[in-house]
Coordinates of all heavy atoms in Angstrom, one line a residue:
V295 N 56.0 -49.7 -95.5 CA 57.0 -50.0 -94.4 C 56.9 -49.0 -93.3 O 56.9 -49.4 -92.1 CB 58.4 -50.1 -95.0 CG1 59.5 -50.0 -93.9 CG2 58.6 -51.3 -95.9
I296 N 56.8 -47.7 -93.6 CA 56.6 -46.7 -92.7 C 55.3 -46.9 -91.9 O 55.3 -46.7 -90.6 CB 56.7 -45.3 -93.3 CG1 58.1 -45.1 -93.9 CG2 56.3 -44.2 -92.4 CD1 58.2 -43.9 -94.9
E297 N 54.3 -47.2 -92.5 CA 53.0 -47.4 -91.9 C 53.0 -48.6 -90.9 O 52.5 -48.5 -89.8 CB 52.0 -47.8 -93.0 CG 50.6 -48.0 -92.6 CD 49.7 -48.4 -93.8 OE1 49.5 -47.5 -94.7 OE2 49.2 -49.5 -93.8
V298 N 53.7 -49.7 -91.3 CA 53.8 -50.8 -90.4 C 54.7 -50.5 -89.2 O 54.4 -50.8 -88.0 CB 54.4 -52.1 -91.1 CG1 54.7 -53.2 -90.1 CG2 53.3 -52.5 -92.2
R299 N 55.8 -49.8 -89.4 CA 56.7 -49.4 -88.3 C 55.9 -48.5 -87.3 O 56.2 -48.6 -86.1 CB 57.9 -48.6 -88.9 CG 58.8 -48.0 -87.8 CD 59.4 -49.1 -87.0 NE 60.3 -48.5 -86.0 CZ 60.1 -48.6 -84.7 NH1 59.2 -49.4 -84.2 NH2 60.9 -48.0 -83.8
A300 N 55.0 -47.7 -87.8 CA 54.3 -46.8 -86.9 C 53.4 -47.6 -85.9 O 53.0 -47.0 -84.9 CB 53.4 -45.8 -87.7
T301 N 53.2 -48.9 -86.2 CA 52.4 -49.7 -85.2 C 53.2 -50.1 -84.0 O 52.7 -50.7 -83.1 CB 51.8 -50.9 -85.9 OG1 52.9 -51.8 -86.3 CG2 51.0 -50.5 -87.1
G302 N 54.6 -49.9 -84.1 CA 55.4 -50.2 -83.0 C 56.3 -51.4 -83.2 O 57.2 -51.7 -82.4
I303 N 56.2 -52.1 -84.3 CA 57.0 -53.2 -84.6 C 58.4 -52.8 -84.9 O 58.6 -51.8 -85.6 CB 56.4 -54.0 -85.8 CG1 55.0 -54.6 -85.4 CG2 57.3 -55.2 -86.2 CD1 54.3 -55.1 -86.6
S304 N 59.4 -53.4 -84.3 CA 60.8 -53.0 -84.5 C 61.7 -54.0 -85.1 O 62.9 -53.7 -85.3 CB 61.3 -52.6 -83.1 OG 61.3 -53.7 -82.2
E305 N 61.2 -55.1 -85.5 CA 62.0 -56.1 -86.2 C 61.9 -55.9 -87.7 O 60.8 -56.0 -88.3 CB 61.5 -57.5 -85.8 CG 62.2 -58.7 -86.6 CD 63.7 -58.7 -86.5 OE1 64.2 -58.5 -85.3 OE2 64.3 -58.9 -87.5
P306 N 63.0 -55.6 -88.4 CA 62.9 -55.3 -89.9 C 62.2 -56.4 -90.7 O 61.4 -56.1 -91.6 CB 64.4 -55.1 -90.3 CG 65.1 -54.7 -89.0 CD 64.4 -55.4 -87.9
R307 N 62.5 -57.6 -90.4 CA 61.9 -58.7 -91.2 C 60.4 -58.8 -91.0 O 59.7 -58.9 -92.0 CB 62.6 -60.1 -90.7 CG 62.1 -61.3 -91.5 CD 62.6 -61.2 -92.9 NE 62.2 -62.4 -93.6 CZ 62.5 -62.6 -94.9 NH1 63.2 -61.7 -95.5 NH2 62.0 -63.7 -95.5
K308 N 60.0 -58.6 -89.8 CA 58.5 -58.6 -89.5 C 57.8 -57.4 -90.2 O 56.7 -57.5 -90.7 CB 58.3 -58.6 -88.0 CG 56.9 -58.8 -87.6 CD 56.5 -60.2 -87.9 CE 55.1 -60.5 -87.4 NZ 54.5 -61.7 -87.9
I309 N 58.5 -56.2 -90.1 CA 58.0 -55.0 -90.8 C 57.8 -55.3 -92.3 O 56.8 -55.0 -92.9 CB 58.9 -53.8 -90.5 CG1 58.8 -53.4 -89.1 CG2 58.4 -52.6 -91.4 CD1 59.9 -52.4 -88.7
A310 N 58.9 -55.9 -92.9 CA 58.9 -56.2 -94.3 C 57.7 -57.1 -94.7 O 57.0 -56.9 -95.6 CB 60.2 -56.8 -94.7
E311 N 57.6 -58.2 -93.9 CA 56.5 -59.2 -94.2 C 55.1 -58.6 -94.1 O 54.3 -58.8 -94.9 CB 56.7 -60.4 -93.2 CG 57.9 -61.2 -93.5 CD 58.2 -62.2 -92.4 OE1 57.5 -62.2 -91.3 OE2 59.1 -63.1 -92.6
M312 N 54.9 -57.8 -93.0 CA 53.6 -57.1 -92.9 C 53.3 -56.1 -93.9 O 52.2 -56.0 -94.4 CB 53.5 -56.5 -91.5 CG 53.4 -57.6 -90.4 SD 53.1 -56.9 -88.8 CE 51.4 -56.3 -88.9
A313 N 54.4 -55.4 -94.4 CA 54.2 -54.4 -95.5 C 53.8 -55.1 -96.7 O 52.8 -54.7 -97.4 CB 55.5 -53.6 -95.7
V314 N 54.4 -56.3 -97.0 CA 54.0 -57.0 -98.2 C 52.6 -57.5 -98.1 O 51.8 -57.4 -99.1 CB 55.0 -58.2 -98.4 CG1 54.5 -59.2 -99.5 CG2 56.4 -57.7 -98.8
V315 N 52.2 -58.0 -97.0 CA 50.8 -58.4 -96.8 C 49.8 -57.2 -97.0 O 48.8 -57.4 -97.7 CB 50.6 -59.0 -95.4 CG1 49.1 -59.2 -95.0 CG2 51.4 -60.3 -95.3
R316 N 50.2 -56.1 -96.4 CA 49.3 -54.9 -96.6 C 49.2 -54.4 -98.0 O 48.2 -53.9 -98.4 CB 49.8 -53.8 -95.7 CG 49.5 -54.0 -94.2 CD 49.8 -52.8 -93.4 NE 49.6 -53.1 -92.0 CZ 49.4 -52.2 -91.1 NH1 49.5 -50.9 -91.4 NH2 49.1 -52.5 -89.9

Side-chain angles (χ1 to χ4, degrees):
V295 165
I296 293 166
E297 180 182 296
V298 172
R299 174 63 181 124
T301 67
I303 299 170
S304 59
E305 173 59 40
R307 182 73 179 176
K308 190 69 174 167
I309 294 168
E311 290 170 352
M312 291 186 70
V314 169
V315 168
R316 287 185 180 201

